[in-house]
Amino acid sequence: PVPLLSLRSLRLWFQQQLARVGFNLAFSGQFDEPTRTVLAAFQMKYRPARYDGMADAETAALLAILNAD
């Protein structure tokens, strides 16, 4: 079985991926207000149909594609 990421690991992943595309934010491991604001800004740029600051699968996929090495 594939181990599930902890919520903290998932939050850190989003924060690290946002930083890799140029957003400045702390790696707190929390979906705090600064993280939601940055996430909404990312969504506004890359998925303007919905920019609610929620970490969802579509946002994760966009981050993964943009940060693919």
Side-chain angles (χ1 to χ4, degrees):
V2 178
L4 296 176
L5 289 173
S6 71
L7 284 179
R8 180 172 170 74
S9 295
L10 184 61
R11 293 170 186 149
L12 283 170
W13 183 87
F14 271 95
Q15 291 168 336
Q16 291 164 348
Q17 298 306 304
L18 288 163
R20 287 185 66 192
V21 294
F23 290 92
N24 184 19
L25 73 161
F27 298 163
S28 66
Q30 300 296 319
F31 278 131
D32 51 14
E33 187 62 32
T35 300
R36 288 191 302 273
T37 299
V38 167
L39 195 53
F42 171 83
Q43 291 167 332
M44 187 180 296
K45 180 174 182 176
Y46 292 99
R47 186 190 66 190
R50 192 175 90 236
Y51 49 95
D52 55 9
M54 299 302 293
D56 56 31
E58 186 177 13
T59 302
L62 289 167
L63 284 165
I65 290 166
L66 289 170
N67 289 322
D69 292 330

